[in-house]
Amino acid sequence: QLQLVESGGGLVQPGGSLRLSCAASGLTLDGYAIGWFRQAPGKEREGVSCISRSGGSTKYADFVKGRFTISRSRDNAKNTVYLQMNSLKPEDTAVYYCAADQVYDDGCSTYVGGMNYWGKGTLVTVSS
């Protein structure tokens, strides 16, 4: 059973940066594409970014392009995925979740309904 734990959330001022981590246990992330999602109060969960098994393919939602960068660890464990968030805006405030999608190619998706495993989320608050 794959277990995912997000960390790195917190309170940051507009224009600031945070780096979220998604750490896996139980299984390695080798066979999984990983997605980051977020859910703001009163809103539906939405896809933010995803990265393929190899890390060679990434996707970003329009509202984070140029500000967020997804990456995955290159060490032998290969069990962590990161989301570097720069130039944060108040509208980025949400609980951020990572999720794993078992795939057999080198693509990725930010379709909420397609994920096999979810973490419990980490809260990001952007406020002055």
Side-chain angles (χ1 to χ4, degrees), residues 7-8 14-15 35 37 42 53 65 76 80 88 92 112 118-119:
S7 61
F37 301 80
R53 293 172 57 182
K65 280 182 181 177
N76 290 334
T80 306
L88 283 162
D92 293 319
V112 174
W118 288 87

Side-chain angles (χ1 to χ4, degrees), residues 60-127:
Y60 297 92
D62 287 344
F63 51 80
V64 302
K65 280 182 181 177
R67 300 189 297 126
F68 291 11
T69 303
I70 192 170
S71 62
R72 49 195 313 160
S73 59
R74 296 300 179 188
D75 61 20
N76 290 334
K78 298 182 180 179
N79 264 8
T80 306
V81 173
Y82 305 97
L83 186 69
Q84 178 67 42
M85 306 188 298
N86 299 328
S87 302
L88 283 162
K89 306 175 181 179
E91 50 264 44
D92 293 319
T93 295
V95 177
Y96 283 72
Y97 301 88
C98 66
D101 180 13
Q102 189 170 24
V103 295
Y104 301 97
D105 59 13
D106 201 37
C108 72
S109 168
T110 54
Y111 172 53
V112 174
M115 300 296 116
N116 299 109
Y117 300 97
W118 288 87
K120 294 184 178 180
T122 185
L123 177 62
V124 172
T125 303
V126 184
S127 175

Side-chain angles (χ1 to χ4, degrees), residues 44-67:
E44 292 187 352
R45 192 170 298 188
E46 60 183 356
V48 174
S49 180
C50 67
I51 189 165
S52 65
R53 293 172 57 182
S54 73
S57 178
T58 58
K59 294 180 182 177
Y60 297 92
D62 287 344
F63 51 80
V64 302
K65 280 182 181 177
R67 300 189 297 126

